[in-house]
Amino acid sequence: MERIFTLVVLLFFCYSFIGWLWETIYCSIKAKHFVYRGFLLGPITPIYGFGVVGVLYLIEPYQQNIVLLFCLSLILVTLLEYLTSFLLEKIFHLTLWDYKEVPFNINGRVAVPVSIFWGLACVFIVRILNPYLMTVVEGWQQRFSIFLPLILLMLTSFDLGFTLANLSSLRRAMKTMSATIQEKKDQLQTNLDELKTAAEERYQSRRSWLAEIKEQPEWRKQLPKLNFQERRFLNSFPNMKSQEIKSPLTEIRQLSKELRKK
């Protein structure tokens, strides 16, 4: 029992790290600058660990049939992705990814092309990658026994607590910053010339609220400064949406950068 527990936990962390590495590289290339991905501060993305471990153990009897392996992996990973998106939205009022522009999506949470990719990835993992990784993990199990998994679980528990605390403070900070932006916009909107075009109004509004805050030090003092984890979380998910704020997150990020300046 101890051996199985050790192997499962170590595989979970291995695939969580591989998932984090994949997302970080992919998003960094796409953004053309380094993007530290992941919900947690540590270099792991647990959804990958849960997904792959689920595929390895829940559908083990069907892994010899490559078609069944692909189909069941696709279904399992899609359900996990949908459930994770749903819980993040209901508990934290946040949407970290949005597939609404991807064909055949379901509420923007999952999409058929993405699910097909993950199904193929699981086939590769089960047939090619995992046999090699198992030899590595079994070596760790023999050398460190149950102590390595326990240490990793303990560190991740601290990381999760730290992340949840920072996420809570980030939500409060975002609400404050959004309220400030909206207040400045409302003040400036009353002064706009009625003869200007709608496009000019939008352009001036975007420019002016930040200029107003820059020119009034008392406003800057009232606004919260984000710490590293809060800034990382805000910047790591370009498609993140929040149900609790009115201002676009691009403006929240812009204001956050301005508040860091001395």
Side-chain angles (χ1 to χ4, degrees), residues 185-203:
K185 282 184 175 181
D186 292 341
Q187 291 176 358
L188 292 164
Q189 187 67 30
T190 59
N191 299 325
L192 290 175
D193 189 345
E194 295 181 356
L195 297 178
K196 292 182 178 180
T197 64
E200 289 174 335
E201 289 179 354
R202 289 196 299 271
Y203 176 71

Side-chain angles (χ1 to χ4, degrees), residues 10 16 23 45 49 60 131 134 218 223 226 231 237 249 252:
L10 290 177
S16 294
E23 281 203 357
T45 304
E60 184 178 6
M134 276 296 296
E218 65 276 11
L223 295 171
L226 305 183
R231 294 195 307 271
F237 298 93
L249 283 180
I252 301 292

Side-chain angles (χ1 to χ4, degrees), residues 16-80:
S16 294
F17 172 73
I18 291 172
W20 171 86
L21 191 63
W22 153 256
E23 281 203 357
T24 297
I25 293 173
Y26 174 78
C27 293
S28 296
I29 293 174
K30 188 176 180 180
K32 297 181 180 179
H33 62 82
F34 180 72
V35 177
Y36 191 104
R37 290 286 288 185
F39 183 80
L40 300 176
L41 181 60
I44 60 171
T45 304
I47 188 173
Y48 288 91
F50 285 117
V52 175
V53 168
V55 168
L56 291 175
Y57 289 94
L58 295 181
I59 62 175
E60 184 178 6
Y62 311 100
Q63 290 178 5
Q64 298 306 314
N65 186 319
I66 195 168
V67 176
L68 274 178
L69 172 61
F70 169 76
C71 293
L72 293 176
S73 297
L74 183 151
I75 293 170
L76 180 62
V77 174
T78 300
L79 289 174
L80 177 61

